[in-house]
Amino acid sequence: VKVVLMCGGIGKRMTPLTKDKSLLQFSGKPLLLHQINCARNAGIDDFIIIANPENIDPIQTLLSSLQNVRISYAVQEKSLGMANALLSTASLIGKEPFILVSSNDLFTSMAYTQLLHEYQNNNFTSYITALRIQEYFPGGYLKVKSNAEIERIIEKPPKGEEPSDLINIVIHLHKEPEILFSYLSTTESTSDDIYEKTLDRMIEDGYKIKAVPYTEPWQAIKYPWHILDTMDYFAQFIKSDISPGARISNKAIIDGNVIIEDKVRVFEGAIIRGPSYIGRNSVIGNGALIRDSSIGNDCVVGYSTEIKHSYIGNGCWFHSNYIGDSVIEDDCSFGAGAITANFRLDETIISSRIDGDRINTGHDKLGAVIGRGCRIGINSSIMPGITIGANSFVGAHINLTHNLETGKMALSKSEYMILPNLWSISENKREDLMKKFKQ
Amino acid sequence: VKVVLMCGGIGKRMTPLTKDKSLLQFSGKPLLLHQINCARNAGIDDFIIIANPENIDPIQTLLSSLQNVRISYAVQEKSLGMANALLSTASLIGKEPFILVSSNDLFTSMAYTQLLHEYQNNNFTSYITALRIQEYFPGGYLKVKSNAEIERIIEKPPKGEEPSDLINIVIHLHKEPEILFSYLSTTESTSDDIYEKTLDRMIEDGYKIKAVPYTEPWQAIKYPWHILDTMDYFAQFIKSDISPGARISNKAIIDGNVIIEDKVRVFEGAIIRGPSYIGRNSVIGNGALIRDSSIGNDCVVGYSTEIKHSYIGNGCWFHSNYIGDSVIEDDCSFGAGAITANFRLDETIISSRIDGDRINTGHDKLGAVIGRGCRIGINSSIMPGITIGANSFVGAHINLTHNLETGKMALSKSEYMILPNLWSISENKREDLMKKFKQ
Amino acid sequence: VKVVLMCGGIGKRMTPLTKDKSLLQFSGKPLLLHQINCARNAGIDDFIIIANPENIDPIQTLLSSLQNVRISYAVQEKSLGMANALLSTASLIGKEPFILVSSNDLFTSMAYTQLLHEYQNNNFTSYITALRIQEYFPGGYLKVKSNAEIERIIEKPPKGEEPSDLINIVIHLHKEPEILFSYLSTTESTSDDIYEKTLDRMIEDGYKIKAVPYTEPWQAIKYPWHILDTMDYFAQFIKSDISPGARISNKAIIDGNVIIEDKVRVFEGAIIRGPSYIGRNSVIGNGALIRDSSIGNDCVVGYSTEIKHSYIGNGCWFHSNYIGDSVIEDDCSFGAGAITANFRLDETIISSRIDGDRINTGHDKLGAVIGRGCRIGINSSIMPGITIGANSFVGAHINLTHNLETGKMALSKSEYMILPNLWSISENKREDLMKKFKQ
């Protein structure tokens, strides 16, 4: 059984981030490698990767050194959805059973193990991983019979009308690809759900599809703030690992599970609380505090900076900042006193404008999302849920209240009056002040 | 001899604070308890408390568990001054000698001891505690004969025309309540001084009233900044006392006399300088600095925050703030970078607008006075002596230059220009920067 | 051989600094003393100081206690350049050989040693110290023959057309003062180069002048930012020296070569990285970070302040600031959160407007230059290369984008809206927040 991993989507919903989702690093490894390893831990070593024209090269480079694994690549020329991706890869997939996986989902290898187990002990046409949920989630619910056979897939039923507590997650084993492809090629839809409609039509026609309940950790990555959730997902598995090549002051504090890579320097008084990750070559300055965060390579987290539950790319510079619940790509730098607000004064859920739509992020703590190569001036304030496009400047002393597009420069309009000043300090005053202090 | 403690005043002058003065905690105990204890230390255990409709219930609850003490309660329906308070309590007071005390004054039990001593060894109608002062103070001065008998009470004489260095403090022993009440009920005045005029009339009619000089610490509480003075008053008596239930990092520094209550957590690098008080369940974060301050229960003083000579209520949150010489009620929180200015650039005495009047606070260091349930946005600046009413928001990045009323929201109008930005970072620049740093 | 040290220039180009350059302290000693010592280390102890009416008194006071040295003083009444300075001192200089030195230059005693050596072993009329440079510098280039005899001095040739890699530095030995004075008195020029033209005329007339190459450290002091370069120059020679009268917490960190003077206090968690200098009586607060800087006497560097590569005068106060690459004269103080930006977002070289001209500072890191007795309000931002005149106020929360003249007050115009706020905090919310934190 091979895994077909769909990495071909173009992440408009990840704006303003510029890096391909599959290549984002978590705990020091690109997401795609984590996903490949997840399958391999279940004994699978045969893969088809469906990439897009942008990410095919780096993906091939990334995976080229993997051993004892067979990987074929397909390129989906245009981002036309799952059905299109599958059909254009049909000949590569062939007639053998395969597991279709979306690279937007994170899960443990148990999902594979369960599918394989069911497939070996039953005789259904397809097996669908069904996430068992505790509270309402706007996804595709599975209506199932007592033997777990699926009767229907119901997309986003109103709250209270869910047919079960089982959500469809795209980790699907198809025993007979030819049947699937034949249905796929004859299903029509105006929206992006041809694949799901295909499964429905197969069920209607009597093919048997089984729901395989899954209860381990799961996380989707659609929007930028999901990077923080994904970071948390991988944080569960972080074990303390400090490179012998790192130079860590004995007056620094490393607390909890922290990975510190080669050539990192941690100065006196710095505090790193796990689960956290510090990439190669980065510098954590005096008294800086990092908690529940991932810091990339070549970063400088300077004096008096707190980075709290944030995902920081490579080559970023901070000093005297508070960065909370934020996602910051490579090569950004922050002037002293620049702050990301991560909590609304009214404590309500934070929304964010992505690709023209205002999206409820589901988080009451969320800072900024900043594309690569940005510069943030001193004493600037960035409001919760704001996005800043790549290669943009936020000038000094600005309160950034709206998203800033790629390649823009926001400059302060703030003015001041100039008046004469008749006051002047005397020697006495200086001595007075000093005496007061010395007391 | 019983003590009649007047707690019935409604503190307009304490705006924007919402909590009754008598219930404010100092060193972990409500002010009223301190005042009761002060009398009990002088051997008095019989009390009449004159409350108002607002504070009568919490006061009764507070005192209900006291043992070996008799307390009667009276409610002054309207805030009509001392004379009214006394007359409406006349039947409760009865005919036995009593000591009248204003809850606006703080003093040591020596004041009671002195009054009782004089009363036992002399035969005056009344005894008035007379604070001996070093420099001019705008109060009621006592003109006295050589045997300390009072000739007249002179309200606020001009500086240089004071008849003595003795100020009238309302800790008055009246041996014959009936005489006092009879005069009280026939004294008329358009202003709030019927009680003082009554004493004058008694003197004119030949009743003998003695001044009893007092030289120990004394403090009045009329305006919000007096809470800082009161905090200092009690700070003199603080002895180090760290609850065994507190968790204090051995990398934190506790210096001087500090009370730390149960379940407090103090993180690495935090510094608490005494005299200070940290209430139950509060968290002092990494590297935070607290000095000469009182922190309530359930507070979080986060990373990189300095709280200097301030009085903080319960449930307040800070991180990356400077809070100096400020009074902050319960449930307020401060965004990172929000700062209270506590010193004018021209170093002059700070004034504050209270209930419509601009009051000279007498302090050259004074920060903000903030009512309960306020939220202060990131990078906000609050000018010296400013008050903020309860349940108000100060938006991010605001320079608050005027008082903010209760239930208001101050939002930034600050604007910025958006221009194209042609700059972009190159790999080389990143390496250059890194090399510079690593040198 | 005596040294004639020209200290008579009035430093318009040092605006807004008010202190005479020669009296500025480096490593605890005035610049002039360093310069005198430099000559004495080469065995010279005969000096003529050309001062101006402003600095003659403090200079005489300063040097009065020097032993085993002969110093004569001349006053240049008006700032009319080198030729004027020399001619007005001609009688004092007399007929013996002398070395002319500008107090604007810093160099090691090797420059003197070399000149004296050449003078003893050759027979040229004058000897000119010639700085051997690595890259283009806008100065006076020396065209020399193979025997180092100077053919011509070429002022600021275009880049690529330099006649040599030798720059004229005013450390000149003149064997025959009378010849020099006679030429000086007959040279005319409309610009400030009479002295250089004089040398050219002497060469034309057949007098032989030799270039004496110098390759040791050299630094000019013309503009305020050169004070930082000068600080770096002297920093090379700093050796660790901590006064026994200093009180330094054993929880503070002193790293590298640091001079700490008498009565300095360094609190817990403070970090001082060398090369740095801390003047008498100064206080370095908890967790403050000082690196590559010079701090004067009577300063307070409070909690959470970073001072990086800056020159700070006496009696300055900081708390919760970032001060980078800045020059700050005596008696300035900074409110919490005030920050000097020291790096442009576009990373280009910083320019500064001095005495009406925009000057390229040659530095990509430069903060503010602030005259004595200034006050900077809380949360203010000061842009790179900005100068602030003496006795000026920068109000709270200002983004200072232009130079501020002497004796001015810049006040915020920032406004805000006031709206009703219907939100209020509940007990539940407080407990929720606390629970979240405690997890």
Side-chain angles (χ1 to χ4, degrees):
Chain A
V1 174
K2 67 181 58 139
V3 161
V4 175
L5 189 54
M6 291 181 297
C7 305
I10 300 287
K12 264 193 186 181
R13 290 183 296 200
M14 294 294 274
T15 310
L17 303 180
T18 61
K19 209 177 245 185
D20 190 86
K21 202 186 308 191
S22 295
L23 301 169
L24 283 171
Q25 305 243 348
F26 294 94
S27 302
K29 245 184 285 186
L31 183 60
L32 183 56
L33 260 190
H34 285 287
Q35 291 171 323
I36 298 269
N37 285 344
C38 173
R40 296 185 75 183
N41 288 340
I44 298 169
D45 44 22
D46 202 352
F47 295 89
I48 295 173
I49 309 274
I50 309 178
N52 63 42
E54 300 286 319
N55 64 12
I56 178 66
D57 286 349
I59 283 179
Q60 284 194 301
T61 306
L62 172 68
L63 302 183
S64 62
S65 59
L66 286 186
Q67 307 230 321
N68 302 321
V69 64
R70 280 180 305 283
I71 307 181
S72 310
Y73 297 93
V75 173
Q76 187 181 12
E77 290 302 332
K78 287 188 178 171
S79 189
L80 294 171
M82 279 170 65
N84 171 274
L86 269 177
L87 284 174
S88 65
T89 325
S91 61
L92 201 58
I93 294 174
K95 299 175 182 177
E96 298 298 311
F98 72 98
I99 300 175
L100 180 66
V101 175
S102 159
S103 70
N104 288 346
D105 290 301
L106 279 173
F107 47 86
T108 72
S109 53
M110 180 61 76
Y112 289 114
T113 307
Q114 287 178 317
L115 280 186
L116 293 173
H117 177 82
E118 293 288 339
Y119 158 68
Q120 278 147 13
N121 294 287
N122 290 282
N123 198 17
F124 287 75
T125 306
S126 296
Y127 300 86
I128 283 184
T129 299
L131 178 71
R132 201 176 285 282
I133 55 171
Q134 310 287 345
E135 53 185 44
Y136 181 77
F137 178 91
Y141 282 78
L142 302 176
K143 188 174 178 197
V144 291
K145 294 185 190 166
S146 56
N147 67 345
E149 186 184 332
I150 297 172
E151 283 185 282
R152 237 186 101 200
I153 304 175
I154 299 162
E155 278 299 314
K156 296 184 194 163
K159 196 172 172 175
E161 299 181 19
E162 306 93 320
S164 71
D165 61 351
L166 296 175
I167 291 278
N168 168 29
I169 300 295
V170 184
I171 318 166
H172 294 175
L173 190 151
H174 294 292
K175 204 171 68 180
E176 301 182 56
E178 284 176 312
I179 296 170
L180 176 71
F181 292 147
S182 131
Y183 272 84
L184 265 177
S185 62
T186 56
T187 305
E188 288 188 351
S189 171
T190 53
S191 67
D192 190 15
D193 60 353
I194 296 178
Y195 175 76
E196 288 78 6
K197 280 198 170 162
T198 296
L199 297 182
D200 258 356
R201 280 181 59 218
M202 286 170 66
I203 291 167
E204 277 168 26
D205 287 0
Y207 290 102
K208 291 187 180 303
I209 301 186
K210 188 173 187 187
V212 182
Y214 169 82
T215 55
E216 296 228 325
W218 167 82
Q219 178 61 47
I221 321 177
K222 272 190 196 171
Y223 288 108
W225 45 89
H226 291 146
I227 290 179
L228 297 177
D229 299 312
T230 303
M231 179 181 79
D232 293 343
Y233 175 86
F234 286 113
Q236 306 171 75
F237 310 115
I238 286 184
K239 293 208 177 91
S240 283
D241 184 6
I242 296 178
S243 163
R247 287 162 59 194
I248 297 173
S249 161
N250 59 10
K251 286 173 179 154
I253 293 165
I254 314 291
D255 181 28
N257 293 315
V258 178
I259 298 175
I260 297 184
E261 299 284 13
D262 192 28
K263 297 214 170 74
V264 164
R265 284 191 68 176
V266 183
F267 281 80
E268 300 95 332
I271 300 167
I272 306 174
R273 287 201 194 291
S276 284
Y277 173 87
I278 314 292
R280 183 170 31 84
N281 222 19
S282 285
V283 176
I284 313 301
N286 291 116
L289 171 60
I290 293 173
R291 47 194 183 107
D292 303 323
S293 291
S294 174
I295 311 291
N297 307 328
D298 300 322
C299 290
V300 177
V301 179
Y303 175 74
S304 201
T305 297
E306 177 173 5
I307 297 189
K308 179 244 160 184
H309 192 242
S310 293
Y311 178 93
I312 311 295
N314 301 320
C316 291
W317 285 54
F318 306 89
H319 68 142
S320 299
N321 303 115
Y322 173 74
I323 307 293
D325 303 281
S326 294
V327 178
I328 298 172
E329 273 200 334
D330 297 353
D331 296 317
C332 291
S333 70
F334 281 69
I339 290 173
T340 59
N342 65 330
F343 195 50
R344 290 174 53 92
L345 297 185
D346 62 8
E347 303 180 3
T348 56
I349 297 297
I350 292 160
S351 65
S352 185
R353 189 168 287 277
I354 299 287
D355 195 29
D357 297 319
R358 180 149 293 283
I359 313 289
N360 179 324
T361 69
H363 292 274
D364 63 352
K365 293 234 169 157
L366 180 64
V369 178
I370 303 180
R372 76 180 297 276
C374 287
R375 294 277 176 274
I376 315 294
I378 63 165
N379 272 339
S380 285
S381 305
I382 303 176
M383 294 298 97
I386 288 294
T387 71
I388 300 175
N391 294 319
S392 285
F393 288 173
V394 175
H397 214 86
I398 282 177
N399 183 21
L400 195 72
T401 50
H402 291 83
N403 288 358
L404 188 64
E405 287 175 25
T406 294
K408 299 290 185 191
M409 183 153 57
L411 292 183
S412 165
K413 274 188 187 174
S414 76
E415 292 176 356
Y416 46 85
M417 298 170 280
I418 297 182
L419 304 170
N421 182 19
L422 302 174
W423 177 95
S424 84
I425 192 165
S426 66
E427 265 315 296
N428 300 353
K429 279 184 198 156
R430 195 216 286 187
E431 280 177 18
D432 272 9
L433 285 169
M434 208 64 203
K435 246 180 265 163
K436 259 190 200 175
F437 188 88
K438 288 283 182 173
Q439 274 162 5
Chain B
V1 175
K2 66 180 60 136
V3 161
V4 175
L5 190 53
M6 292 181 297
C7 304
I10 299 288
K12 262 193 187 181
R13 289 183 298 202
M14 294 294 274
T15 309
L17 303 181
T18 62
K19 208 177 243 183
D20 192 87
K21 204 185 310 191
S22 295
L23 301 169
L24 284 171
Q25 305 242 348
F26 294 93
S27 302
K29 245 185 282 186
L31 183 60
L32 182 56
L33 259 191
H34 285 287
Q35 291 171 322
I36 298 270
N37 285 344
C38 173
R40 296 186 73 185
N41 288 340
I44 299 168
D45 43 22
D46 201 352
F47 295 89
I48 295 173
I49 310 273
I50 309 180
N52 64 42
E54 300 287 319
N55 65 11
I56 178 66
D57 286 349
I59 283 179
Q60 283 193 302
T61 306
L62 172 67
L63 301 183
S64 62
S65 60
L66 286 187
Q67 307 230 322
N68 302 322
V69 64
R70 279 178 306 283
I71 307 181
S72 311
Y73 297 93
V75 173
Q76 186 181 13
E77 291 301 331
K78 287 189 179 172
S79 190
L80 294 170
M82 278 170 65
N84 170 275
L86 270 177
L87 284 174
S88 65
T89 325
S91 61
L92 202 58
I93 294 175
K95 300 176 181 177
E96 297 299 309
F98 73 98
I99 301 175
L100 180 67
V101 174
S102 159
S103 70
N104 286 348
D105 290 299
L106 279 174
F107 47 86
T108 71
S109 53
M110 180 60 77
Y112 289 114
T113 307
Q114 288 178 318
L115 280 186
L116 293 173
H117 177 82
E118 294 288 340
Y119 159 68
Q120 279 146 12
N121 293 285
N122 291 281
N123 197 17
F124 287 75
T125 307
S126 297
Y127 300 85
I128 283 184
T129 300
L131 179 70
R132 201 177 284 283
I133 55 170
Q134 310 286 346
E135 53 185 45
Y136 181 77
F137 177 90
Y141 281 79
L142 302 176
K143 190 174 176 195
V144 292
K145 296 185 189 165
S146 57
N147 68 343
E149 185 184 334
I150 298 173
E151 285 185 281
R152 236 187 101 200
I153 304 175
I154 299 162
E155 278 300 316
K156 297 183 195 164
K159 197 174 172 176
E161 300 180 19
E162 306 93 321
S164 71
D165 60 352
L166 297 174
I167 291 278
N168 168 29
I169 301 294
V170 183
I171 318 166
H172 295 177
L173 190 152
H174 294 292
K175 205 169 68 180
E176 301 183 56
E178 285 176 310
I179 297 171
L180 176 71
F181 292 146
S182 129
Y183 271 85
L184 266 177
S185 62
T186 56
T187 305
E188 288 188 351
S189 172
T190 52
S191 67
D192 189 16
D193 60 353
I194 295 178
Y195 175 77
E196 289 78 6
K197 280 199 169 160
T198 295
L199 297 182
D200 258 355
R201 281 181 60 216
M202 286 171 65
I203 291 167
E204 277 167 27
D205 287 1
Y207 290 102
K208 291 188 181 304
I209 301 186
K210 187 173 188 189
V212 183
Y214 170 82
T215 55
E216 297 227 329
W218 167 81
Q219 178 61 48
I221 322 178
K222 272 189 193 172
Y223 288 108
W225 45 88
H226 291 146
I227 291 179
L228 297 176
D229 299 311
T230 303
M231 179 179 80
D232 293 343
Y233 176 85
F234 287 112
Q236 305 172 75
F237 310 114
I238 285 184
K239 293 207 177 93
S240 283
D241 184 6
I242 297 179
S243 163
R247 286 161 60 194
I248 296 173
S249 162
N250 58 10
K251 286 173 179 153
I253 293 164
I254 313 290
D255 180 29
N257 293 316
V258 178
I259 298 174
I260 298 185
E261 300 283 13
D262 192 29
K263 297 215 172 72
V264 164
R265 284 191 68 176
V266 182
F267 281 80
E268 301 95 331
I271 300 168
I272 306 174
R273 286 200 195 291
S276 284
Y277 173 86
I278 314 291
R280 183 171 30 85
N281 222 17
S282 284
V283 176
I284 313 301
N286 291 115
L289 171 60
I290 292 172
R291 48 193 183 107
D292 302 325
S293 292
S294 174
I295 311 290
N297 307 329
D298 301 321
C299 289
V300 177
V301 179
Y303 176 75
S304 203
T305 297
E306 177 174 4
I307 295 189
K308 179 243 160 186
H309 192 242
S310 293
Y311 178 93
I312 311 294
N314 302 321
C316 290
W317 285 54
F318 307 89
H319 68 143
S320 300
N321 302 117
Y322 173 74
I323 306 294
D325 302 282
S326 295
V327 178
I328 298 172
E329 274 201 333
D330 297 353
D331 297 316
C332 290
S333 70
F334 280 69
I339 288 173
T340 59
N342 65 330
F343 196 51
R344 289 175 54 91
L345 298 183
D346 62 8
E347 303 179 3
T348 56
I349 297 297
I350 292 160
S351 65
S352 185
R353 190 168 286 278
I354 298 287
D355 195 28
D357 297 319
R358 180 149 293 283
I359 313 288
N360 178 325
T361 69
H363 292 274
D364 62 353
K365 293 236 168 155
L366 180 64
V369 178
I370 303 181
R372 77 180 296 278
C374 287
R375 294 277 176 271
I376 314 295
I378 63 165
N379 272 340
S380 285
S381 304
I382 303 175
M383 294 299 96
I386 288 293
T387 71
I388 300 176
N391 293 316
S392 284
F393 288 174
V394 174
H397 213 86
I398 281 178
N399 183 20
L400 194 73
T401 51
H402 293 81
N403 287 358
L404 189 63
E405 287 174 24
T406 294
K408 298 291 184 190
M409 183 153 55
L411 292 182
S412 166
K413 274 188 186 174
S414 76
E415 292 176 356
Y416 45 86
M417 299 169 280
I418 297 181
L419 304 170
N421 181 20
L422 302 174
W423 177 95
S424 84
I425 193 165
S426 65
E427 265 313 296
N428 300 353
K429 280 184 198 155
R430 194 216 287 187
E431 281 178 16
D432 272 10
L433 285 170
M434 208 63 203
K435 246 180 265 160
K436 260 191 198 172
F437 188 88
K438 289 282 182 171
Q439 275 163 6
Chain C
V1 175
K2 66 180 59 137
V3 162
V4 175
L5 190 53
M6 292 181 298
C7 304
I10 299 286
K12 262 194 187 180
R13 290 182 296 201
M14 294 294 274
T15 308
L17 303 181
T18 61
K19 208 178 244 184
D20 191 86
K21 202 185 313 191
S22 295
L23 301 169
L24 283 170
Q25 305 242 349
F26 293 94
S27 302
K29 244 184 285 188
L31 183 60
L32 183 56
L33 259 190
H34 286 287
Q35 291 171 323
I36 298 271
N37 285 344
C38 174
R40 296 185 75 184
N41 288 340
I44 299 169
D45 44 22
D46 201 352
F47 295 89
I48 295 173
I49 309 272
I50 308 179
N52 63 41
E54 299 287 319
N55 64 11
I56 179 65
D57 285 350
I59 283 180
Q60 283 193 301
T61 307
L62 172 68
L63 302 182
S64 62
S65 58
L66 285 187
Q67 308 230 321
N68 303 321
V69 64
R70 280 179 305 283
I71 307 181
S72 311
Y73 296 93
V75 174
Q76 187 181 12
E77 291 301 331
K78 288 188 177 173
S79 191
L80 294 170
M82 278 170 65
N84 170 273
L86 270 177
L87 284 173
S88 65
T89 325
S91 60
L92 202 58
I93 294 175
K95 300 174 180 177
E96 298 299 309
F98 74 97
I99 300 176
L100 180 65
V101 174
S102 159
S103 69
N104 287 346
D105 289 300
L106 278 173
F107 47 85
T108 71
S109 53
M110 181 60 77
Y112 289 115
T113 307
Q114 287 178 319
L115 280 186
L116 293 173
H117 177 82
E118 294 288 338
Y119 158 70
Q120 280 146 11
N121 294 284
N122 291 281
N123 198 17
F124 287 76
T125 306
S126 296
Y127 300 85
I128 284 184
T129 300
L131 179 71
R132 200 176 285 282
I133 55 170
Q134 311 287 344
E135 53 186 44
Y136 181 77
F137 177 91
Y141 281 80
L142 303 176
K143 189 172 178 196
V144 291
K145 296 184 189 166
S146 57
N147 67 344
E149 186 184 331
I150 297 173
E151 284 185 282
R152 237 188 100 200
I153 303 176
I154 299 163
E155 279 299 316
K156 298 184 194 163
K159 198 173 171 175
E161 299 180 20
E162 306 93 322
S164 71
D165 61 352
L166 296 175
I167 291 277
N168 169 29
I169 300 294
V170 183
I171 318 166
H172 294 175
L173 189 152
H174 294 292
K175 205 170 69 181
E176 301 183 57
E178 286 176 309
I179 297 172
L180 176 71
F181 292 146
S182 131
Y183 270 84
L184 266 177
S185 62
T186 55
T187 306
E188 290 188 349
S189 171
T190 53
S191 67
D192 190 17
D193 59 354
I194 296 178
Y195 176 77
E196 288 78 7
K197 280 199 170 162
T198 295
L199 297 181
D200 257 356
R201 282 181 58 217
M202 286 171 66
I203 292 167
E204 276 168 27
D205 288 0
Y207 289 101
K208 290 188 181 302
I209 301 186
K210 188 173 188 189
V212 183
Y214 170 82
T215 55
E216 296 227 327
W218 167 80
Q219 179 60 48
I221 322 178
K222 272 189 194 171
Y223 289 108
W225 45 89
H226 291 147
I227 290 179
L228 297 177
D229 300 311
T230 302
M231 178 179 80
D232 293 343
Y233 176 85
F234 286 113
Q236 305 171 76
F237 311 114
I238 286 184
K239 294 209 176 90
S240 285
D241 184 7
I242 296 178
S243 163
R247 287 161 60 193
I248 297 173
S249 161
N250 60 9
K251 286 173 179 153
I253 292 165
I254 313 291
D255 181 29
N257 292 315
V258 178
I259 298 174
I260 298 184
E261 300 283 14
D262 192 29
K263 297 213 171 73
V264 164
R265 284 191 69 176
V266 182
F267 281 79
E268 302 95 331
I271 300 168
I272 305 174
R273 286 199 195 292
S276 284
Y277 173 87
I278 314 292
R280 183 169 31 83
N281 222 18
S282 285
V283 176
I284 314 301
N286 291 115
L289 171 60
I290 292 172
R291 48 192 182 107
D292 303 324
S293 291
S294 175
I295 311 290
N297 306 329
D298 301 322
C299 290
V300 177
V301 179
Y303 175 75
S304 202
T305 296
E306 177 174 4
I307 296 189
K308 179 243 161 185
H309 192 242
S310 293
Y311 178 95
I312 311 294
N314 302 320
C316 291
W317 286 54
F318 306 89
H319 67 143
S320 299
N321 303 116
Y322 173 74
I323 306 294
D325 302 281
S326 294
V327 177
I328 297 172
E329 274 200 334
D330 297 354
D331 296 316
C332 291
S333 71
F334 280 68
I339 289 174
T340 58
N342 65 330
F343 195 49
R344 289 175 54 91
L345 297 184
D346 62 8
E347 303 179 2
T348 57
I349 297 297
I350 292 160
S351 65
S352 185
R353 190 168 285 276
I354 298 287
D355 195 29
D357 297 319
R358 179 149 294 282
I359 314 290
N360 178 326
T361 69
H363 291 275
D364 62 353
K365 294 237 169 154
L366 181 63
V369 178
I370 303 181
R372 76 179 297 278
C374 287
R375 294 277 177 273
I376 315 295
I378 63 164
N379 272 338
S380 285
S381 304
I382 302 176
M383 293 299 96
I386 288 293
T387 71
I388 299 175
N391 294 318
S392 284
F393 288 173
V394 175
H397 213 84
I398 281 178
N399 184 21
L400 194 73
T401 52
H402 293 81
N403 287 357
L404 189 63
E405 287 174 26
T406 294
K408 298 290 185 191
M409 183 152 58
L411 292 183
S412 166
K413 273 189 188 175
S414 77
E415 293 176 355
Y416 46 86
M417 297 170 281
I418 297 182
L419 304 169
N421 183 18
L422 302 174
W423 177 95
S424 84
I425 193 163
S426 66
E427 266 313 296
N428 300 353
K429 278 184 199 156
R430 194 216 285 187
E431 280 177 18
D432 272 10
L433 285 169
M434 208 64 202
K435 246 181 265 161
K436 259 190 197 172
F437 188 89
K438 289 281 182 172
Q439 274 162 7

